[in-house]
Amino acid sequence: MKYLDLFSYMDYRLFLADYYSARKLVDLKFSYRFFAKQAGYSSSGLYVNIVNAKLNLSERYLSGFISALKLSLNEAVYFKLMVDYTHAQSDDDREMIFDQMVPYV
């Protein structure tokens, strides 16, 4: 990923917010609609609703986000772990996922 250091993030929502801002700075044509098209979904509001925690990034859209973000294999694994970490319901789950994230940092 050439825009940001994905591995410096623990929360995928913060990463997505920063990614959008960074990408917009270098490409004025970049928009939520453009990202949606690249990710293979039709709702231009999905991205902003995920960033604002109105929706969670579900398994249904995860691969599209990974593709549109143009993540490498290691980045894709870490991004999925970030999503799981952010959505974890218990401290034990969060700790287990964190332990999987550490080798990437």
Side-chain angles (χ1 to χ4, degrees):
M1 158 115 14
K2 60 184 173 182
Y3 297 103
L4 301 170
D5 178 16
L6 173 75
F7 302 111
S8 67
Y9 289 84
M10 294 293 298
D11 184 322
Y12 78 95
R13 294 180 201 281
L14 294 175
F15 170 75
L16 290 175
D18 289 350
Y19 174 86
Y20 184 86
S21 296
R23 181 82 189 268
K24 191 73 172 168
L25 283 175
V26 297
D27 182 1
L28 295 177
K29 296 182 300 182
F30 186 74
S31 66
Y32 295 122
R33 186 174 313 281
F34 178 83
F35 186 89
K37 186 176 179 184
Q38 295 296 309
Y41 61 88
S42 59
S43 171
S44 61
L46 180 65
Y47 191 105
V48 73
N49 283 329
I50 288 172
V51 169
N52 291 330
K54 293 180 181 176
L55 295 172
N56 287 330
L57 181 54
S58 67
E59 288 291 326
R60 176 179 177 194
Y61 296 110
L62 185 61
S63 64
F65 269 70
I66 288 169
S67 177
L69 292 166
K70 296 179 176 41
L71 301 179
S72 70
L73 181 59
N74 281 343
E75 289 171 331
V77 169
Y78 187 82
F79 186 76
K80 174 153 181 14
L81 288 169
M82 269 199 306
V83 171
D84 292 342
Y85 182 83
T86 305
H87 296 171
Q89 297 294 312
S90 72
D91 290 340
D92 288 341
D93 288 344
R94 213 170 280 108
E95 184 177 339
M96 183 182 69
I97 297 164
F98 177 79
D99 290 344
Q100 295 173 52
M101 294 169 79
V102 168
Y104 292 95
V105 181

